[in-house]
Amino acid sequence: MDKWTTLEPVRLYSSATTGFRSRAAVKPDLSTYIGRLPRDLHLLIITYLPVYQIPSYSRGNCALSRLTRDEKVWEARWEALIDGQEELAQVLDELEAITNEQRATARARAPPTLSVDADDDFGDFASVAMGQADPEEMGDFVGSFTDVPATPRTALPANSTFREKYIRAHNLLKPMLASLDSPPHLILSNLFPSSSTTLRHQSQTLHLLLLYLSLAIQPLRSWPSLRAALRSAADRFEASLLTAFEAADGSKDEERMKEAAWSSWEVRDTQQNTEWEIGRVWTEKREVFYESGQWDPLKNFTKNNALDFDAMVEFMTYVNNIVLEQGSVAVRVFPPAANVLVMFAERISIEVISEYILPLLSRAREISNEIFLKATAASFAQAWRMVDVLLEVGGSTVSKTQVEDVIYRMFEQNMDEYLDEEVETVKGVLEVICRGWERKLATQSEATAADHAARFLGSQNPALMKRNVLASFTDILLLPVTIVPRTVNALVTTGSTAAVNGIAMLNPQRWGAQTANGYSTDFNGKTGELLFDDTDQNEQEKEEESARRPASVSSRTTLEVPQLTTGTTASSRSTSPASSFDRLELLLSLDIALELIHADRESLKRVETFQYYPGHYGHKVRETIEELFIIMLQVLSDRHISPGFSRATEQMMTYKPAEHQETSSVAPLLQFFELVHIGDTIQSMSQVYFDKEMAPHIDRTDFLNGVVREKKRFENALDDAVAAGLNAGTEVLMNQVEHIILTRTAPREYCPQEGTALELGPTKGCQESISCLEMHCRLMRGSTSKDVLEVFYQEVGIRLHAIIQKHLKRQIISLEGGFQVIADLNAYHNFVSSLKIPQVTSDFSNLKMLGHVFIVSDAKDLAQIVRDVTRYGGSFRPEDIYEFIQRRSDWKKIEKTVDKTMYNLSFKEDCTIS
């Protein structure tokens, strides 16, 4: 046991308290401390100490004494003294030269100095100046050593420290403070006894003294009272400069004006936010402010109360000439920092231009809102001309933002009323257009419709026609909008001609010839496939087409769309039951759409005059631009497109095939397809308008933006209207097909008499129904998108499948007639296969197999066919097939055998009624 020793405890983990104590035990570096405070804190204190208290602070100990010589302390004082102006540093050189000159003059009249050759204990006093003693103290030695030359002090070297620079400035400026104890009216004469000093030097010296006696330096304990005396002297000096400036201005002496102006700018009181006196006086003395009666704003209106801005153009030309002339003087005379040019422009904008515009707008408001809106935009556009003049005159002395703000601030008082009125006026104008269209639809007689009307469907190439319409519409959007109305009669003639020529390109009648029925293509013929060929016409055809175009159109910038009809005469329409379906496409109008867009664009272009407005009104201008486009989309959708499609859908639902002899086409559906083309063209026009006019003002990828959301709603509303109309149109079309099958199928079509020669081909009813479907499906291909087209084809196939089943269940079918049924089913299957809808094609393949039950003569074999569910792909149950075989002409003969074979029973033997 003696060999065992006790183990010492081992600490596996150091506790938090131990770590804390170890960290707390670390002693700071005392070399960075002076006393109990860090060196940096002492340095910060010295930086903010007044200069006269720094010696007291430095006497604390040797370390503090050394710290007061730190460059950071004196760099702050030097920067506060110079204030970033190197010219003030040059003033110190001039003051030193003057001081040296005065010293040299004094020494020339004073006794000589005694030189100390050996180094003494007072190194800073290597020479003793004897010239500063009073004559009484020097006795008979005064003037005895006049031959000793004076040695002036030299300037500091370029690499001198900030401390040396400040000490030099302090030694030069402090002696001048003695003059501030003089009476107020003698301070300036004592500071500048020599009459040879320039005004510029005096002003810079006063500026330097004002910076010296500032809160950032505080060179003496009595600096507040000294600064007050100096400020009073500077005000007296500034008043004398104003007098000198006015005298120089009267004699047009720009050099003296410039010297007085720059000197006054040096000594101005920057602590008071008052307008600079010399700049204000010079601005007020301009004659342009006292010529308001020379110009009459009401001359901008003609005798007919129309706008003619020739008078304001002349007025602004005169004002801009004044700005150019007087502004050039301001740039040459005044300091750039004084912004006298901008101040002068602001006075002109408020007291001259604004006083001219306000009566003009008041009179325009009395005439009409439209005149007021045009006058407001035109007035701003004319006032904006001064911006270019100011930029030309000011050059680099003014910024573009400064001169633009002059006009913006002047016009702010009119912006609220203008923007609100613009929105309300657009709403009223669009409402008037829509009401006019509604009245036209309500009162328009059928006899006024054109007998030969052009259609999208009637053209050789509807897609090409649409592209041409949109290209012409784009050209119209690129036409400039006249903001400043001048020489109205001449400009309207020229401008409207260009606009009308472009608008006339939107007339569908110009894109091809028509036949007697209003279409240039026979939809029943095989050439209908050319309807959607995208090949362009050759040049000769275009030239011939241009020759056929009408030469005269309305002077208004609206579209003259012809009345689209089916081409029947007015008398026949008035008596025909189909007359109510001949004008469905007239429920929408490219003319009205263009009028709405054009009215909205005119307003938009006026508001775009203010699109760069800054601040609150700039935000409001951008909101107004977006609101104008949103209003146009809402009116176009809610007041024109949606009601048109709704009315067309309602009229289609009233169509009764039995009242019409035509079987190859469904009149309301043809009209609806034309309506879809017009609606699609209107949507494309709104898209072009959006791309050209609105896209630069918004972020197109911002799905929360009001314009983007409203545009999406507009497109969805059009899609919903087309979908609802197609649903009604599909029902009308299939009712027509059912009517054709019912009326064109002979009573004994599927049960011919014995010995009748059979023509194994589709029946007349089958052929006409398929022809009707094919024509409308071809037209549908160019009227809507691929997805909607597939839905339409599928709906047609499903409904045709039900109609055929219903039709077969109404017939009596013999064995010979069964082959006729198979021929019809094969024809229907071929048609449906051309639609390329897999599900519908599969259903019709199964339906085609159904025809075999009518040609099987053996009853037992027929029963086996009926029971074979897989034969029909699951489309028909045995019970469904049983219903079809009941339509056989020999059903009564084979019924027992079929029932017994199918169900292994006989109703007469196995069923007892008690």
Side-chain angles (χ1 to χ4, degrees):
M1 296 296 293
D2 297 336
K3 296 181 180 179
W4 296 94
T5 59
T6 306
L7 295 176
E8 295 181 1
V10 177
R11 188 182 299 277
L12 298 179
Y13 304 98
S14 60
S15 63
T17 58
T18 303
F20 174 78
R21 290 175 181 175
S22 62
R23 288 193 297 270
V26 178
K27 295 182 179 180
D29 186 7
L30 297 179
S31 63
T32 61
Y33 277 67
I34 301 177
R36 294 187 178 183
L37 297 178
R39 180 179 182 277
D40 293 340
L41 184 56
H42 282 288
L43 188 61
L44 185 63
I45 293 173
I46 297 173
T47 303
Y48 288 97
L49 274 180
V51 172
Y52 66 86
Q53 290 182 354
I54 292 179
S56 301
Y57 196 85
S58 66
R59 285 194 292 269
N61 53 46
C62 294
L64 290 178
S65 178
R66 288 192 298 269
L67 194 61
T68 56
R69 290 181 171 84
D70 193 285
E71 280 296 284
K72 293 182 180 179
V73 175
W74 301 106
E75 181 182 3
R77 265 56 179 206
W78 176 254
E79 294 297 335
L81 181 63
I82 299 302
D83 196 22
Q85 303 180 33
E86 293 299 328
E87 296 178 355
L88 296 182
Q90 298 176 3
V91 174
L92 292 175
D93 297 336
E94 296 176 4
L95 291 176
E96 186 173 26
I98 294 173
T99 302
N100 291 337
E101 182 180 355
Q102 293 175 352
R103 225 175 251 174
T105 303
R107 285 180 179 178
R109 297 193 303 267
T113 59
L114 299 178
S115 300
V116 180
D117 296 331
D119 292 338
D120 61 331
D121 294 337
F122 305 96
D124 290 340
F125 304 97
S127 62
V128 179
M130 303 297 294
Q132 302 298 328
D134 293 334
E136 295 80 2
E137 296 177 356
M138 303 306 295
D140 296 336
F141 294 100
V142 175
S144 300
F145 301 95
T146 57
D147 297 335
V148 180
T151 57
R153 294 181 59 185
T154 58
L156 288 175
N159 58 351
S160 57
T161 64
F162 288 108
R163 182 171 178 272
E164 293 172 347
K165 291 179 180 180
Y166 176 79
I167 291 176
R168 174 193 176 218
H170 184 84
N171 293 333
L172 289 172
L173 296 177
K174 184 178 179 181
M176 301 181 68
L177 300 182
S179 301
L180 301 180
D181 294 332
S182 306
H185 63 282
L186 297 178
I187 292 178
L188 291 177
S189 59
N190 292 336
L191 283 174
F192 310 107
S194 176
S195 60
S196 61
T197 56
T198 62
L199 294 177
R200 184 76 172 134
H201 173 74
Q202 295 178 24
S203 64
Q204 290 177 338
T205 303
L206 290 174
H207 187 192
L208 195 59
L209 287 172
L210 286 169
L211 293 174
Y212 180 63
L213 296 174
S214 63
L215 183 64
I217 298 178
Q218 304 182 39
L220 303 174
R221 196 176 299 273
S222 60
W223 75 269
S225 59
L226 294 175
R227 179 179 175 82
L230 182 62
R231 182 68 260 172
S232 176
D235 293 340
R236 286 174 174 270
F237 181 70
E238 191 174 6
S240 64
L241 290 176
L242 177 59
T243 304
F245 179 85
E246 291 180 340
D249 186 22
S251 60
K252 305 297 182 183
D253 188 347
E254 292 188 5
E255 289 298 329
R256 291 170 54 201
M257 291 171 61
K258 181 176 181 181
E259 183 181 19
W262 283 70
S263 300
S264 176
W265 182 254
E266 284 282 350
V267 298
R268 76 193 188 283
D269 190 357
T270 56
Q271 295 181 356
Q272 295 183 4
N273 297 324
T274 57
E275 195 173 11
W276 185 35
E277 187 69 16
I278 287 185
R280 182 184 61 80
V281 170
W282 179 84
T283 302
E284 289 179 350
K285 292 179 67 174
R286 301 309 97 190
E287 296 180 359
V288 68
F289 299 110
Y290 309 102
E291 299 174 348
S292 57
Q294 182 179 348
W295 307 96
D296 184 9
L298 300 184
K299 289 185 178 180
N300 293 282
F301 300 94
T302 63
K303 296 180 179 179
N304 299 326
N305 287 330
L307 285 176
D308 183 0
F309 261 55
D310 287 340
M312 187 169 184
V313 171
E314 182 181 355
F315 166 74
M316 285 305 303
T317 302
Y318 172 78
V319 171
N320 289 337
N321 290 335
I322 295 295
V323 172
L324 183 61
E325 177 185 353
Q326 300 298 331
S328 301
V329 174
V331 171
R332 292 193 299 268
V333 169
F334 298 103
N339 283 331
V340 176
L341 176 62
V342 176
M343 181 171 60
F344 176 59
E346 288 179 346
R347 292 286 296 270
I348 285 185
S349 65
I350 295 174
E351 298 183 13
V352 179
I353 300 178
S354 181
E355 293 298 325
Y356 184 90
I357 291 177
L358 290 179
L360 189 154
L361 297 183
S362 299
R363 175 57 182 161
R365 164 68 78 181
E366 295 174 0
I367 297 174
S368 68
N369 290 339
E370 182 181 1
I371 294 296
F372 169 74
L373 298 177
K374 291 181 178 179
T376 303
S379 300
F380 181 81
Q382 280 299 301
W384 191 257
R385 292 170 53 193
M386 193 172 72
V387 172
D388 299 330
V389 177
L390 290 173
L391 290 176
E392 177 186 353
V393 174
S396 60
T397 61
V398 294
S399 65
K400 186 178 181 180
T401 303
Q402 282 181 309
V403 297
E404 287 180 348
D405 287 345
V406 171
I407 304 300
Y408 286 140
R409 284 193 292 267
M410 179 270 295
F411 216 81
E412 279 183 354
Q413 57 184 329
N414 306 308
M415 290 303 296
D416 286 322
E417 182 182 9
Y418 166 74
L419 294 176
D420 295 340
E421 193 62 41
E422 193 75 70
V423 172
E424 295 301 323
T425 300
V426 166
K427 291 181 180 179
V429 171
L430 301 186
E431 180 70 19
V432 169
I433 294 174
C434 292
R435 286 182 179 177
W437 171 249
E438 292 169 357
R439 286 195 301 269
K440 184 178 179 181
L441 287 180
T443 60
Q444 190 178 42
S445 63
E446 295 176 354
T448 60
D451 291 335
H452 299 284
R455 305 164 183 260
F456 283 98
L457 297 180
S459 64
Q460 290 291 338
N461 194 331
L464 177 61
M465 177 180 176
K466 237 179 238 187
R467 288 199 299 269
N468 290 335
V469 169
L470 293 178
S472 302
F473 177 71
T474 304
D475 293 338
I476 295 173
L477 287 182
L478 295 178
L479 291 175
V481 175
T482 301
I483 300 298
V484 180
R486 296 183 59 191
T487 57
V488 177
N489 296 332
L491 285 182
V492 166
T493 302
T494 304
S496 63
T497 300
V500 169
N501 288 336
I503 292 169
M505 297 291 289
L506 298 182
N507 191 338
Q509 193 172 5
R510 306 178 64 176
W511 303 110
Q514 300 80 36
T515 59
N517 65 349
Y519 295 98
S520 61
T521 303
D522 183 7
F523 298 128
N524 297 320
K526 299 299 182 182
T527 59
E529 297 296 334
L530 294 176
L531 276 174
F532 308 101
D533 185 12
D534 291 339
T535 56
D536 295 337
Q537 303 178 19
N538 57 41
E539 295 299 328
Q540 181 178 1
E541 291 175 342
K542 291 182 179 179
E543 292 176 0
E544 293 175 357
E545 187 176 346
S546 299
R548 294 194 299 268
R549 293 173 182 169
S552 61
V553 284
S554 172
S555 60
R556 293 182 59 198
T557 53
T558 57
L559 172 65
E560 296 296 333
V561 178
Q563 307 299 331
L564 304 179
T565 67
T566 57
T568 56
T569 61
S571 60
S572 63
R573 284 197 306 271
S574 61
T575 58
S576 172
S579 60
S580 60
F581 306 106
D582 290 344
R583 298 154 56 80
L584 291 184
E585 77 274 24
L586 294 182
L587 297 175
L588 292 184
S589 171
L590 292 178
D591 182 17
I592 296 302
L594 184 61
E595 283 191 32
L596 294 174
I597 294 176
H598 180 69
D600 188 78
R601 179 174 178 264
E602 279 191 351
S603 179
L604 185 66
K605 286 300 181 182
R606 285 195 296 266
V607 179
E608 280 183 352
T609 309
F610 309 91
Q611 61 180 324
Y612 299 112
Y613 233 103
H616 166 71
Y617 286 105
H619 182 69
K620 193 169 183 179
V621 167
R622 288 185 287 274
E623 286 183 344
T624 303
I625 290 176
E626 295 181 6
E627 186 175 1
L628 291 175
F629 187 80
I630 291 174
I631 291 172
M632 187 274 298
L633 289 181
Q634 290 175 345
V635 172
L636 190 59
S637 174
D638 300 340
R639 296 299 305 275
H640 190 61
I641 293 179
S642 295
F645 274 100
S646 299
R647 190 170 177 181
T649 302
E650 293 174 0
Q651 292 187 18
M652 278 196 299
M653 297 298 293
T654 63
Y655 179 81
K656 297 180 180 179
E659 298 178 355
H660 303 266
Q661 298 180 356
E662 179 65 33
T663 59
S664 62
S665 64
V666 181
L669 190 55
L670 284 179
Q671 300 294 319
F672 185 78
F673 286 161
E674 181 71 21
L675 199 67
V676 171
H677 275 292
I678 297 175
D680 182 62
T681 304
I682 292 176
Q683 180 181 356
S684 300
M685 290 166 62
S686 65
Q687 181 65 43
V688 171
Y689 180 43
F690 173 80
D691 294 336
K692 295 293 183 181
E693 303 295 347
M694 280 304 303
H697 300 288
I698 64 171
D699 181 8
R700 304 177 65 170
T701 61
D702 182 10
F703 61 91
L704 295 178
N705 182 269
V707 173
V708 177
R709 294 171 61 186
E710 186 61 32
K711 181 173 175 290
K712 188 65 177 177
R713 191 190 74 85
F714 170 77
E715 294 170 352
N716 291 339
L718 179 59
D719 292 341
D720 293 343
V722 172
L726 285 179
N727 185 42
T730 303
E731 185 173 351
V732 170
L733 175 62
M734 300 317 296
N735 290 340
Q736 177 76 8
V737 169
E738 185 176 7
H739 175 73
I740 293 173
I741 295 175
L742 183 63
T743 57
R744 293 296 188 268
T745 303
R748 301 187 64 87
E749 196 77 60
Y750 298 131
C751 188
Q753 295 180 357
E754 295 182 2
T756 303
L758 296 178
E759 297 180 1
L760 295 182
T763 60
K764 183 177 180 181
C766 176
Q767 292 177 352
E768 291 188 7
S769 61
I770 292 176
S771 176
C772 178
L773 289 173
E774 285 180 341
M775 185 197 72
H776 290 89
C777 287
R778 281 200 304 271
L779 294 178
M780 188 64 185
R781 290 191 194 106
S783 302
T784 186
S785 64
K786 182 179 179 181
D787 295 336
V788 176
L789 189 65
E790 290 180 356
V791 173
F792 176 75
Y793 285 168
Q794 185 174 5
E795 190 67 20
V796 167
I798 293 174
R799 296 194 185 193
L800 180 61
H801 190 273
I803 290 173
I804 294 173
Q805 293 185 57
K806 183 178 179 181
H807 176 64
L808 292 177
K809 291 178 182 180
R810 284 197 296 256
Q811 306 298 318
I812 300 297
I813 306 172
S814 63
L815 291 176
E816 294 80 2
F819 292 98
Q820 189 65 58
V821 171
I822 293 176
D824 285 353
L825 293 179
N826 287 335
Y828 288 126
H829 178 268
N830 293 335
F831 163 70
V832 171
S833 298
S834 66
L835 301 181
K836 298 180 181 180
I837 305 297
Q839 181 61 38
V840 177
T841 303
S842 175
D843 291 341
F844 271 82
S845 297
N846 298 328
L847 182 62
K848 185 173 66 172
M849 299 300 296
L850 184 64
H852 296 168
V853 301
F854 299 112
I855 60 174
V856 177
S857 57
D858 186 83
K860 293 183 178 180
D861 292 341
L862 179 62
Q864 294 298 327
I865 292 176
V866 173
R867 295 179 62 183
D868 186 6
V869 181
T870 61
R871 184 181 184 89
Y872 308 103
S875 296
F876 299 101
R877 299 173 299 173
E879 292 80 2
D880 299 330
I881 306 300
Y882 189 83
E883 292 182 12
F884 285 106
I885 63 176
Q886 288 179 343
R887 308 315 302 167
R888 288 172 59 114
S889 60
D890 58 351
W891 173 246
K892 293 300 181 182
K893 298 178 182 180
I894 64 174
E895 180 181 7
K896 294 180 181 180
T897 305
V898 171
D899 290 343
K900 187 173 182 180
T901 304
M902 286 185 63
Y903 305 109
N904 196 21
L905 57 84
S906 174
F907 288 106
K908 291 184 179 181
E909 298 175 359
D910 298 338
C911 297
T912 303
I913 300 175
S914 58

